[in-house]
Amino acid sequence: MIGISKRWLAMGLVLVLAICLLTACTQSEKPPAATDVTGGGNTGDTGATEETSSSEPEALTLPIVSQPITLKYFWTLDAKAAASMTSYDEVACFKKMEELTGINIEWIHPPTGQEKEQFNLMVASQELPDLIHWDWSTVPGGVSKLISDGSILKLNDLINKYAPNFTKLMEEHPDWHKEAILDDGSYYYFPFIREDESLRLSSGFQMRGDWLEKLNLEIPKNIDEWHSVLTAFKQGDPNGNGQADELPFVAIGQSRVQYFEYAYGIMHNFYRDPDTRKIKYGPMESAYKDYLTTMRQWYKERLIDPDYAATDTKNFDAKVTGNKGGSYYGMLSGNMGRFLDLMKSKDPSFKLVGVPWPVGPAGKSYGPMAINAIQPVGTAISAQSKYQKEAVKWLDYCYSEEGKMLFNFGIENESYKMVNGEPVYTDAVLHNPDGLAVSDALIRYAMAVSNGPFVQDKRYYPQILVYPEQKQTLDTWLKSCDPSLQMPPITLTEEESQRFATIMNEINTYVQEMFDKFVMGQEPLDNFDNYINTLKGMGIEEAINIEQAALDRFNARK
């Protein structure tokens, strides 16, 4: 009996050992348990865990919280909002968000003109609000530095757990996903998204249509025709005052003049060569000398306002509305719409027309239409926030269908009504009783006319273009614009960003100075080779290589 018992005991021990080994083996094949990320506590140095959950995000339900909480939100107050408000607290869509979510927002609006300084001070002090809305392409040291410093969160795990609407969008639009991440696959913000190409081109060349009619001229389509029209404006007295006081092309500083560079197949910055798909720097290309030669001729012939370098917005407006400026580069709403508003009672004959992107020596009508939907401006979450889960859910609602309607159109039956299944703005926006311009009226209800963490709806834009000339101009620009020179949203590493800034800070100042000197005749174009050598000595070739490496990494993103 004793022998039998020992034998059964031994067999039992073997069986237990086998079960233990099998269990251990099975557990080793399972992924590690996910670390919980909850509101009310910091998630660590950089917030999000490295692993990515394969499960679907939990459904978003409203209200987000059972007891009210407050999130601090740093966001520059749009100038259109500032025309009639002091805070986004007064914008209807944000009021509605508080009602729906149970989350109050305490707005932090930096003083006008001090935005960058306030942002840098905020980051340096590490006294960060819960949410930060910013143009992340302008961050010194790059976004990766802010994540590694523990300033903002890497959001992948939080998005995987708590952002079903944003996750769905990224899955449905893999190109958006590629544009929204860093090279290592990290999400770091909830971006502003322009869903349609018609939303990615809002400015271009504009011209006095009544002057063209008076002088029996056609809208110019290439650089040579531009020269002919500007010369006629200078010599033909189109304003009819008997004086040669016309300014054929007016601009606010040199940047508006530099849009003519597109006709020469270059940009006044880094761009992607449409043939080789490699990075180039416009101000050092041989075509740049050809462009400068043309601008120098136009300036000498006084076809370009001789005071362009010193012209501010107030002076620019006065030249256009004072019957002096014949053409300019400007915004479809902020310039064309505003000028037509101002002049309809003052001068009923005043007309503006959109001019197609001019064809030049490059043989194509290149232009600045963005090729990417994801914009660099958007909202990041501070690593110091005690309400990270709640912040993600609040932001995720903005990407839902309901959130899209709210942020683009505002409040139903107040700022818009549904007509045949489509949202149509009401007179509160289109014919504001307080006399506000359409854009200024709309931003009292919704953010479509500005930006934010949401998808901009293509149905909004045609409605705020109240003049037929604006709609025709947009169509002209879109049809003539070849965006092939444009860059995708590349990102630099922390080391690259610091080196790039060191090089380009000096180069940008030098290029700006030399542009005016070349155009104004203060520097002979025979010195162009010396100018190129100076750029090389400053490190422009290294900067190009940095940009190329970043582009290569972007192309490799998945």
Side-chain angles (χ1 to χ4, degrees):
M1 290 292 293
I2 296 175
I4 295 174
S5 298
K6 288 182 178 180
R7 187 164 58 250
W8 280 106
L9 178 61
M11 290 177 64
L13 289 173
V14 170
L15 180 61
V16 169
L17 180 61
I19 292 172
C20 290
L21 288 172
L22 179 61
T23 302
C25 182
T26 303
Q27 287 179 338
S28 70
E29 294 173 355
K30 294 180 180 179
T35 303
D36 188 28
V37 182
T38 60
N42 202 311
T43 58
D45 292 342
T46 58
T49 56
E50 289 300 317
E51 49 78 28
T52 299
S53 172
S54 61
S55 61
E56 293 294 320
E58 69 177 49
L60 179 64
T61 58
L62 298 178
I64 291 172
V65 293
S66 57
Q67 296 295 325
I69 64 171
T70 296
L71 300 178
K72 294 182 178 181
Y73 207 148
F74 179 93
W75 191 332
T76 298
L77 186 66
D78 188 284
K80 294 180 287 296
S84 62
M85 298 177 285
T86 59
S87 169
Y88 283 154
D89 251 339
E90 303 172 61
V91 179
C93 66
F94 290 124
K95 292 180 183 178
K96 188 66 174 179
M97 282 289 287
E98 180 176 353
E99 176 187 326
L100 292 170
T101 65
I103 296 175
N104 176 58
I105 300 296
E106 180 181 326
W107 295 102
I108 303 171
H109 299 307
T112 301
Q114 299 179 31
E115 297 87 354
K116 184 175 292 187
E117 177 186 357
Q118 291 295 312
F119 175 85
N120 291 336
L121 285 173
M122 179 177 66
V123 172
S125 69
Q126 284 296 291
E127 295 181 3
L128 302 169
D130 300 276
L131 301 169
I132 305 168
H133 192 76
W134 194 247
D135 181 348
W136 300 100
S137 67
T138 66
V139 174
V143 175
S144 296
K145 184 177 187 299
L146 295 183
I147 296 175
S148 63
D149 287 349
S151 297
I152 65 172
L153 293 173
K154 175 180 176 180
L155 294 170
N156 295 51
D157 194 50
L158 285 161
I159 287 173
N160 288 337
K161 289 171 180 279
Y162 306 118
N165 295 297
F166 186 77
T167 297
K168 180 181 177 184
L169 278 178
M170 295 300 104
E171 290 174 348
E172 292 175 345
H173 301 275
D175 52 330
W176 294 7
H177 162 76
K178 184 176 179 179
E179 295 167 0
I181 59 175
L182 298 177
D183 295 325
D184 65 357
S186 298
Y187 284 114
Y188 65 96
Y189 76 143
F190 286 83
F192 178 49
I193 304 175
R194 299 188 190 273
E195 69 174 359
D196 189 76
E197 69 173 17
S198 64
L199 300 169
R200 303 173 199 165
L201 183 62
S202 58
S203 61
F205 291 108
Q206 302 170 32
M207 188 170 282
R208 286 289 296 271
D210 52 322
W211 286 17
L212 291 171
E213 292 174 3
K214 185 174 183 179
L215 300 177
N216 196 28
L217 298 169
E218 298 290 332
I219 296 174
K221 296 181 178 62
N222 57 51
I223 290 296
D224 290 338
E225 291 177 6
W226 261 91
H227 182 260
S228 298
V229 168
L230 296 180
T231 300
F233 281 178
K234 185 64 183 174
Q235 299 175 353
D237 190 28
N239 65 12
N241 66 358
Q243 303 176 38
D245 59 351
E246 287 83 358
L247 301 169
F249 186 84
V250 292
I252 306 172
Q254 60 180 235
S255 63
R256 304 291 179 89
V257 180
Q258 288 162 353
Y259 280 98
F260 284 110
E261 288 177 342
Y262 283 96
Y264 293 80
I266 57 175
M267 290 172 56
H268 201 78
N269 207 322
F270 297 92
Y271 66 96
R272 186 170 53 177
D273 185 278
D275 297 321
T276 66
R277 312 303 284 172
K278 297 294 185 181
I279 298 292
K280 290 187 175 180
Y281 182 64
M284 71 175 296
E285 292 297 308
S286 59
Y288 186 67
K289 182 178 181 180
D290 298 333
Y291 156 73
L292 289 175
T293 301
T294 299
M295 295 300 104
R296 185 185 182 99
Q297 177 190 353
W298 289 10
Y299 184 86
K300 183 178 181 180
E301 295 173 0
R302 300 182 72 83
L303 305 182
I304 297 175
D305 179 7
D307 296 324
Y308 77 84
T311 297
D312 59 17
T313 301
K314 183 178 180 180
N315 291 331
F316 171 76
D317 288 358
K319 289 170 184 178
V320 176
T321 60
N323 216 22
K324 295 288 184 67
S327 61
Y328 58 89
Y329 182 94
M331 302 293 292
L332 195 55
S333 180
N335 292 121
M336 178 176 273
R338 185 161 55 85
F339 291 149
L340 290 172
D341 273 342
L342 291 171
M343 298 301 291
K344 62 184 177 183
S345 59
K346 181 179 178 181
D347 182 2
S349 66
F350 181 92
K351 294 182 181 179
L352 289 172
V353 296
V355 183
W357 288 92
V359 177
K364 293 184 178 181
S365 53
Y366 293 114
M369 183 168 65
I371 59 174
N372 49 288
I374 302 293
Q375 305 301 300
V377 62
T379 297
I381 300 175
S382 164
Q384 297 177 9
S385 175
K386 295 186 295 183
Y387 301 109
Q388 294 169 11
K389 178 178 77 173
E390 291 83 357
V392 168
K393 289 188 172 186
W394 190 95
L395 290 165
D396 183 64
Y397 179 78
C398 302
Y399 297 91
S400 67
E401 284 301 315
E402 296 83 0
K404 184 180 181 182
M405 290 294 296
L406 181 62
F407 277 85
N408 281 280
F409 301 102
I411 310 301
E412 188 171 4
N413 296 322
E414 290 185 31
S415 54
Y416 78 96
K417 291 184 178 181
M418 295 303 294
V419 179
N420 297 324
E422 297 293 332
V424 177
Y425 291 123
T426 64
D427 284 347
V429 172
L430 301 179
H431 304 285
N432 184 259
D434 297 328
L436 293 175
V438 172
S439 295
D440 294 352
L442 176 56
I443 205 170
R444 298 180 71 166
Y445 296 95
M447 298 300 292
V449 75
S450 180
N451 62 70
F454 64 94
V455 179
Q456 192 179 43
D457 195 310
K458 65 180 180 181
R459 295 173 294 180
Y460 113 88
Y461 199 36
Q463 296 189 58
I464 70 165
L465 302 179
V466 297
Y467 292 99
E469 295 94 324
Q470 291 175 291
K471 293 180 173 67
Q472 184 177 4
T473 294
L474 178 59
D475 185 62
T476 295
W477 290 346
L478 289 172
K479 286 181 177 178
S480 65
C481 185
D482 183 334
S484 301
L485 302 178
Q486 300 301 314
M487 293 269 285
I490 63 174
T491 55
L492 307 185
T493 66
E494 180 178 341
E495 182 180 351
E496 287 174 338
S497 184
Q498 292 173 348
R499 180 58 183 157
F500 185 81
T502 299
I503 295 171
M504 293 309 300
N505 285 342
E506 185 180 12
I507 285 178
N508 287 336
T509 300
Y510 176 67
V511 169
Q512 290 170 8
E513 291 175 351
M514 292 303 294
F515 175 84
D516 287 336
K517 289 181 178 180
F518 281 132
V519 170
M520 295 179 182
Q522 299 169 1
E523 185 80 19
L525 283 169
D526 289 343
N527 289 345
F528 188 78
D529 288 344
N530 294 335
Y531 156 81
I532 295 298
N533 290 332
T534 301
L535 288 177
K536 291 179 178 179
M538 290 178 169
I540 188 60
E541 292 170 318
E542 182 182 352
I544 292 173
N545 290 336
I546 290 173
E547 290 277 292
Q548 184 64 55
L551 177 61
D552 293 341
R553 291 196 301 271
F554 174 85
N555 291 334
R557 289 181 189 176
K558 297 180 180 179

